[in-house]
Amino acid sequence: MKFTVGIAMNPLDQLPALARTAEECGFSSIALPDSLFFMEKQSADYPYTPDGSRMWNEETPWVDPLIAAAAMGAVTSKIEFYTQVLKLGSRNPVLLARQVGSVANLIGNRFGFGVGIGWAPEEFEWCGVPYKKRGARVDEMIDVIKLILGGGMVEYHGEFFDFDRLQMSPAPTKPVPFYVGGHTDVALRRAARVGDGWTSAMIKFDDLVQVVARLRELREEYGRADLPYEIQTVCIDRFGKDGYAELADAGVTDTIVVPWVFDGIGFDGPLEAKQDSLRKFADQYIG
C-alpha cells in the first residue's frame, strides 16, 4: 500500500519544501485539495462533518491545485501529485483540459486528476454555472476532458457542451488517470464506470469496506473488473501498523495521511516540525 501526504490548509510558502521532503522520505504522492472561496453564508451543509459546518474559515489558506502541482512538481522529480478532489461542477471542461494537459506535460506525467462535483451552490452560481443538473453536466465534463487529453483533432456534441473539431497540443505522452470522488451510490457508479480509481473524503473503516465491495460489484457490472484500479482513502479510525495492514487487506491501495497532525502539530505549525513528522512517519511505516 502506498502513502500519500495531504497538504490541505497549510501555508502556501511551505508547500515546495514539504513536497521535497515527502519525496525524500519515499511517500508516493501529494494530495491536492480544492476550494474556490469562502462564502460568508453557506446555503447547503458541508457533507463530510456531522453538523454540516466547514472545517476551515475565511482566513484558511488555499491554492489552485493545478498551480500547486506545477509549483511542487518543478522542485521534485519522482513524487506524484493528484487533486483530491477538484470540484468540476463550477468550471469549464475545455479550459480544464488545457490546464490538466499543461501540468501533466510540465511535470513528466506525475499528475492524476481526482474529480468531484462540488457541494456548494454558491460555487456554481457565482461562477456562472447552474446548480441544477450538476451530475449530468459533470459526466459530460469528464468525457470532454478525456477526449481532448487523448490528443488529435476531436469534436463533441452533447447536452451541455458542444464544439466542432479542435486540437490541443501537446497531448500528455501518457494517459492522465482519473480518480472519482464521492460516497453516494451515484458517485460510486461514476467512479466504477469512468474512473481509474475512487478517492474518499473522511470515512470510517466499516463504511469503507462497504464502499470497496460496492465498487467491486459495479466494476463487474460495467465490465471493468480486470482493469487496474486505485482505492485512495482518508480513513479516520485506522492508524498504526495494524490499522494500515487492515486497510491494505480491505483493498486500499493508497492511504492519505497528515503525519504532523499525529504529532500534535497544527496546519499553521512550523515547517521544520512538519518535516520531522514526515521523516518519523516514513521511518515507522514506509522504511
Side-chain angles (χ1 to χ4, degrees):
M1 188 174 67
K2 299 177 288 188
F3 289 96
T4 288
V5 179
I7 52 88
M9 300 186 284
N10 282 271
L12 305 192
D13 60 356
Q14 294 184 359
L15 299 186
L18 288 174
R20 286 195 298 268
T21 303
E23 179 174 79
E24 293 165 4
C25 291
F27 287 89
S28 172
S29 306
I30 300 287
L32 306 163
D34 180 36
S35 180
L36 287 175
F37 49 74
F38 186 92
M39 67 289 272
E40 187 173 29
K41 297 178 181 179
Q42 62 183 83
S43 61
D45 287 345
Y46 180 65
Y48 302 113
T49 57
D51 62 358
S53 65
R54 291 165 283 184
M55 301 177 294
W56 60 95
N57 61 36
E58 64 273 18
E59 300 297 333
T60 302
W62 299 90
V63 64
D64 184 283
L66 297 170
I67 294 174
M72 289 187 281
V75 299
T76 55
S77 60
K78 297 178 182 177
I79 198 166
E80 299 184 354
F81 303 87
Y82 57 81
T83 50
Q84 210 274 335
V85 291
L86 188 139
K87 293 176 278 190
L88 287 181
S90 54
R91 290 166 159 104
N92 178 282
V94 178
L95 295 176
L96 267 179
R98 165 52 61 198
Q99 294 169 314
V100 171
S102 297
V103 171
N105 277 302
L106 286 171
I107 67 173
N109 299 304
R110 292 184 286 137
F111 181 74
F113 198 33
V115 299
I117 293 179
W119 63 276
E122 289 85 356
E123 286 189 336
F124 290 75
E125 294 162 4
W126 296 353
C127 290
V129 179
Y131 190 60
K132 293 182 178 179
K133 295 187 175 181
R134 57 194 178 278
R137 187 174 184 275
V138 162
D139 285 337
E140 278 199 13
M141 293 183 73
I142 293 172
D143 289 343
V144 167
I145 296 168
K146 284 189 171 188
L147 180 68
I148 294 174
L149 291 179
M153 194 68 67
V154 298
E155 61 184 293
Y156 189 88
H157 305 286
E159 178 183 356
F160 303 97
F161 304 100
D162 189 292
F163 55 84
D164 292 331
R165 288 167 60 79
L166 60 79
Q167 180 170 335
M168 286 188 185
S169 298
T173 57
K174 293 182 180 179
V176 174
F178 277 62
Y179 309 127
V180 178
H183 294 187
T184 66
D185 198 64
V186 172
L188 297 182
R189 283 189 171 276
R190 183 179 294 113
R193 187 178 68 251
V194 302
D196 299 296
W198 172 76
T199 191
S200 84
M202 296 178 294
I203 191 170
K204 293 183 178 180
F205 180 77
D206 290 345
D207 296 329
L208 172 64
V209 170
Q210 294 181 24
V211 166
V212 173
R214 180 59 174 154
L215 284 167
R216 191 176 297 116
E217 292 176 357
L218 291 170
R219 292 176 63 225
E220 288 277 2
E221 179 181 325
Y222 291 119
R224 305 184 74 230
D226 295 332
L227 297 175
Y229 202 78
E230 295 282 334
I231 302 290
Q232 303 165 343
T233 64
V234 184
C235 186
I236 62 174
D237 58 0
R238 289 297 187 276
F239 306 101
K241 288 187 176 180
D242 291 342
Y244 296 139
E246 281 191 82
L247 291 174
D249 289 343
V252 173
T253 63
D254 187 348
T255 295
I256 301 166
V257 295
V258 186
W260 47 88
V261 170
F262 301 147
D263 294 332
I265 300 166
F267 295 108
D268 59 350
L271 171 63
E272 294 78 10
K274 294 176 183 177
Q275 291 173 310
D276 287 343
S277 293
L278 289 171
R279 297 183 185 105
K280 176 182 173 183
F281 185 97
D283 287 344
Q284 288 180 304
Y285 304 116
I286 299 177

